[in-house]
Amino acid sequence: MVVPPAYLRNTPIFGGLDDRPLDLIAARLHERTCGPGVMIYREGDPGRDLYIVRTGELEIFETSAGGHRVQLGRLGPGDAFGDMTLLDMQPRSATVVARTDASLYALTNKDLYA
C-alpha cells in the first residue's frame, strides 16, 4: 500500500517537505493495525520505527520508580511518535498502547536511510 503524499503533507512532522521527499517517504511507509490494549512498544525497547497515527487513539506513558503508570499524553490521527529514535538510536523512553482499534503508518530507520 502506498500512502498518498498529500496525507503526509498534512502531518506536523512532514508538512514542510517538498514533493520529492514526500514521495520517497510515502513509498516506504508500512501500515500496521492493532486492537485496543495492544502495545506498540514498551519503554526500554530498542527504537527502530517512527509511527504516524492514521486512525484510532493511543496512550503514551512512562512507569514511575514506584511502578505507577504516568500518562504523558494521547495520540490521534496525524500524530507522529517514535521520531527521536530515527535520530538518536536510543531505547524507547515511554510505552505506547492502543486505546481503540488503530491503524498506523510505520517507517523504519533502515527505510528512512535507504
Side-chain angles (χ1 to χ4, degrees):
M1 177 192 96
V2 176
V3 177
Y7 177 84
L8 295 177
R9 188 171 286 109
N10 293 318
T11 64
I13 193 165
F14 295 121
L17 295 178
D18 293 328
D19 289 344
R20 178 74 175 136
L22 284 176
D23 289 342
L24 293 171
I25 292 168
R28 289 179 168 91
L29 291 173
H30 308 280
E31 188 171 12
R32 176 178 173 185
T33 58
C34 55
V38 170
M39 188 172 303
I40 309 305
Y41 58 74
R42 183 183 313 272
E43 187 175 350
D45 284 351
R48 295 187 184 102
D49 304 312
L50 156 97
Y51 294 95
I52 301 169
V53 181
R54 180 172 170 243
T55 63
E57 185 177 293
L58 294 88
E59 178 182 7
I60 186 166
F61 64 89
E62 292 178 338
T63 304
S64 71
H68 296 86
R69 181 185 273 196
V70 179
Q71 184 175 340
L72 301 175
R74 290 191 178 174
L75 303 165
D79 289 334
F81 61 99
D83 46 316
M84 288 306 297
T85 193
L86 295 178
L87 302 173
D88 66 14
M89 305 296 286
Q90 296 297 309
R92 301 293 189 179
S93 61
T95 299
V96 179
V97 175
R99 293 179 49 81
T100 65
D101 286 332
S103 174
L104 311 171
Y105 293 129
L107 178 68
T108 67
N109 54 14
K110 289 179 184 177
D111 285 337
L112 181 65
Y113 296 112

